[in-house]
Amino acid sequence: MVAHMAHYGETTQLNDGNGDVSPSDLKDHPAESSHSSSDDTSAEESSEEEEAHEEEEEKESDSDTRSRAEKPGGEQLQPCCEKCRALKNPKYELVTPRKMSRDRLQLQLDAEGVYECSDTGLVFEVTQRVKITYCILSWSKFSAYLTGSWKFAGPIFDVDCDPSILKSIQFPHSLCLAADKDNEVKFSVLHVKNSHGLIEPSADHSGSHVKWTVSSLSPVGPIAQTSKSAEHHGVVQVFKEVGHENSFSFRVYLAGNNCSDIKDIRRAVRRANNCKNNKRYIHVDKPPTCMLEENRKYRLISEPMGHITPEDMLFTPVIVEVKGYFEVFFEESPPFKLSLTDADSGHTVWTATIREGDCVHHLDENPRKPMKGRKRHSSTSEEELCNKPSKKSRGVDESDCPATAAAPGLTDQQLMQVAKRMGKEWKIVAICYLGLCKQDLEEMEAAEEDVTMLKFNMLERWRRRQPKGKAGIQELHKCLKDNDDVPNEVIAVLDEMLQNNSAT
């Protein structure tokens, strides 16, 4: 299929937008590597910083709230449309990425070729052996850069690699091209850099992907223009409220079948779980795929009849926070049959039955953790947090314990080992978990350009601010563990240090 090419253009610079991203959020910072420009690093960090604030205390609950439509990296489901399956889409060598943190993945490609990520559907064309790191982003951070009739058509990613080796990227899209008989869909990509959203032309597209020739690397995702309302491969995600016996309340979300939208649903549910209303939602595993048409109203109906609000919902290619969700409540016991129908024609596009077994959950097996992450964002200082007794020591009379010497502080060599394993998220770690502020980061950046040394100086500044005897491996481990923004390698090296200490 021959692609319609969009003219290379530039969107207007975002001033106030929706409050999620501003030029100040995307201002220049030192590059993470020679492969990414300074604005690339800051764009991703600003887009993820708010998320770090909400997600830090929910690692365990994520196993419940994460959609089964998505593996840890954000795997998309196969299209439910038989016509799209029949389209001749190219097949590439499937490779499984390594998970670095919640939404950050890494591929080690050993030779020249074209490879498809088994988790996200991204396709990379490389000219030689290379390591590629990439992160699933949310359109809620970048959709305000779109102007005119452009709308996002698939997930947005931040990719880190040597652009001289990475020749092209193919992004999965959610549009149903089998319904586009007149070939009226025009694809392009939104490339956010230098505090602007640039609309760059696509090189080609298929029934499943939009191909882009790499110019430089920073947040980028597929967008589309259509002369009429387009059909999307969509998903319906069901979440049940738990914690109240004999309570049958549900949230039902509609979205495009792409990992950025599914990420937004997961985040919305996590926010609901963090509210102080004692509500908690977990995912109900039901077949999620369906076909959804833009600017068409859909109605959720049930058997037996439940209380459903709103009555109708308009499906549009906008962020999940804008679309909202159906809220469903039943006074009777399961089973419940839910059906999503076209509000005008009555045609059913999706149906699922929720049975009694879907409504039984043993919360005591996975109790919710105290919201220690929130305290790090309040006026409570990091010093106070680190001075709190550990759970293991509660209830122990200190007078019965022999006096012990204060734990030795972290050495410069140990701090450097940790610093080398930090990635682009180091500024988020500094502010969210180590008690540093924006002024600290600006002072360090003014005095040092090397990124590894900046990470070392961040850790050293945290160490200096701790009380005597409270700047050891255990204290740093306590501050960083169970937070999804912290790379697995950082926790692993701290675990190894703790084991070595206990052995001696």
Side-chain angles (χ1 to χ4, degrees):
M1 181 179 294
V2 178
H4 283 277
M5 304 274 220
H7 292 294
Y8 187 99
E10 182 177 327
T11 65
T12 57
Q13 182 169 355
L14 179 63
N15 295 317
D16 295 323
N18 59 7
D20 289 319
V21 181
S22 66
S24 61
D25 290 326
L26 298 176
K27 66 182 180 180
D28 290 345
H29 288 299
E32 180 62 28
S33 71
S34 59
H35 307 151
S36 301
S37 63
S38 59
D39 61 278
D40 301 346
T41 303
S42 59
E44 181 200 349
E45 288 166 348
S46 63
S47 69
E48 296 300 313
E49 195 162 328
E50 178 189 337
E51 219 162 292
H53 180 81
E54 346 174 302
E55 296 180 358
E56 59 190 26
E57 74 276 8
E58 290 296 329
K59 187 174 183 179
E60 278 84 0
S61 67
D62 189 49
S63 62
D64 289 332
T65 60
R66 176 179 285 131
S67 163
R68 298 289 180 89
E70 173 195 26
K71 287 186 178 179
E75 180 181 9
Q76 298 185 133
L77 295 161
Q78 292 299 314
C80 59
C81 173
E82 293 295 336
K83 292 181 180 179
C84 281
R85 287 198 187 118
L87 292 176
K88 293 183 178 180
N89 296 316
K91 300 295 182 183
Y92 304 106
E93 181 179 346
L94 279 177
V95 285
T96 301
R98 176 188 178 193
K99 184 181 180 186
M100 307 294 289
S101 59
R102 169 173 286 157
D103 292 310
R104 190 184 302 280
L105 304 171
Q106 187 177 86
L107 281 177
Q108 176 66 60
L109 304 179
D110 294 328
E112 178 182 5
V114 184
Y115 303 86
E116 180 173 353
C117 169
S118 61
D119 278 14
T120 63
L122 278 176
V123 177
F124 301 105
E125 181 183 7
V126 299
T127 57
Q128 64 185 62
R129 176 185 174 91
V130 72
K131 183 182 291 183
I132 305 175
T133 303
Y134 47 106
C135 181
I136 304 166
L137 303 180
S138 167
W139 275 110
S140 65
K141 314 299 177 185
F142 300 101
S143 59
Y145 283 95
L146 294 179
T147 58
S149 58
W150 288 106
K151 50 202 169 189
F152 54 85
I156 182 168
F157 292 89
D158 185 54
V159 180
D160 186 22
C161 177
D162 186 340
S164 66
I165 297 175
L166 182 57
K167 188 175 179 181
S168 70
I169 303 174
Q170 294 183 45
F171 299 92
H173 67 78
S174 62
L175 271 65
C176 177
L177 297 189
D180 181 33
K181 297 179 181 179
D182 298 326
N183 199 24
E184 294 179 344
V185 176
K186 179 190 294 184
F187 283 104
S188 191
V189 298
L190 176 70
H191 189 186
V192 179
K193 61 180 182 178
N194 296 328
S195 303
H196 288 77
L198 302 176
I199 295 178
E200 297 186 3
S202 58
D204 199 355
H205 72 261
S206 67
S208 59
H209 286 76
V210 177
K211 185 176 181 180
W212 173 65
T213 302
V214 173
S215 55
S216 62
L217 292 172
S218 55
V220 60
I223 58 176
Q225 281 182 330
T226 57
S227 59
K228 57 185 179 181
S229 295
E231 279 194 88
H232 287 255
H233 300 118
V235 291
V236 179
Q237 300 282 281
V238 182
F239 294 85
K240 181 187 181 296
E241 181 185 343
V242 295
H244 302 285
E245 192 174 353
N246 298 323
S247 172
F248 302 105
S249 180
F250 301 85
R251 285 187 175 191
V252 180
Y253 290 84
L254 309 183
N257 183 13
N258 71 75
C259 47
S260 286
D261 272 3
I262 294 173
K263 171 189 174 86
D264 282 348
I265 292 175
R266 188 182 69 192
R267 184 177 63 174
V269 174
R270 186 178 300 109
R271 282 176 173 172
N273 288 347
N274 289 341
C275 290
K276 297 180 180 180
N277 55 11
N278 295 320
K279 289 186 177 182
R280 186 182 179 197
Y281 295 87
I282 66 170
H283 179 246
V284 180
D285 187 12
K286 294 297 170 184
T289 55
C290 65
M291 297 301 298
L292 299 173
E293 186 176 335
E294 289 176 11
N295 303 317
R296 183 170 289 277
K297 287 186 178 181
Y298 291 92
R299 182 171 298 164
L300 192 67
I301 59 177
S302 65
E303 298 177 19
M305 185 177 294
H307 303 277
I308 302 176
T309 55
E311 181 180 4
D312 299 327
M313 183 180 295
L314 186 70
F315 176 75
T316 58
V318 297
I319 58 177
V320 170
E321 288 92 332
V322 174
K323 283 198 287 278
Y325 55 88
F326 289 105
E327 188 169 49
V328 186
F329 176 74
F330 294 99
E331 296 178 351
E332 303 176 40
S333 298
F336 312 121
K337 182 178 181 181
L338 296 177
S339 298
L340 187 69
T341 65
D342 185 311
D344 295 326
S345 68
H347 173 68
T348 299
V349 299
W350 173 89
T351 186
T353 299
I354 299 173
R355 299 176 175 84
E356 185 175 359
D358 298 318
C359 300
V360 177
H361 307 284
H362 304 287
L363 293 182
D364 290 339
E365 296 177 3
N366 185 23
R368 187 176 180 184
K369 295 179 63 181
M371 295 178 67
K372 60 183 181 182
R374 286 290 181 203
K375 293 180 181 178
R376 288 185 182 137
H377 291 279
S378 69
S379 57
T380 306
S381 68
E382 193 68 20
E383 178 178 327
E384 290 170 333
L385 285 171
C386 290
N387 279 326
K388 288 186 177 181
S390 68
K391 293 181 180 179
K392 292 182 180 179
S393 66
R394 289 176 185 168
V396 178
D397 186 350
E398 293 184 2
S399 64
D400 295 334
C401 302
T404 57
L410 280 155
T411 65
D412 286 353
Q413 290 75 18
Q414 289 171 324
L415 287 184
M416 183 56 77
Q417 287 185 55
V418 176
K420 286 181 176 180
R421 288 162 175 81
M422 287 276 184
K424 288 184 176 181
E425 69 291 318
W426 70 274
K427 294 182 183 180
I428 297 174
V429 172
I431 293 173
C432 293
Y433 312 129
L434 299 183
L436 275 65
C437 63
K438 184 179 179 182
Q439 183 178 349
D440 289 318
L441 301 184
E442 290 174 348
E443 290 174 358
M444 291 188 295
E445 288 174 332
E448 178 62 63
E449 292 185 358
D450 183 81
V451 177
T452 302
M453 285 305 301
L454 280 168
K455 298 170 189 174
F456 173 85
N457 292 340
M458 166 195 72
L459 295 167
E460 196 276 331
R461 188 167 290 211
W462 168 84
R463 181 179 62 180
R464 275 192 281 120
R465 292 181 179 178
Q466 305 315 300
K468 187 175 181 180
K470 294 294 182 180
I473 302 168
Q474 187 171 354
E475 285 74 25
L476 183 59
H477 186 273
K478 184 194 294 186
C479 290
L480 299 182
K481 70 177 182 177
D482 296 335
N483 295 304
D484 290 325
D485 302 294
V486 180
N488 298 336
E489 286 84 351
V490 170
I491 301 304
V493 74
L494 289 172
D495 285 338
E496 184 180 346
M497 291 178 187
L498 285 173
Q499 290 173 4
N500 292 341
N501 267 17
S502 60
T504 56

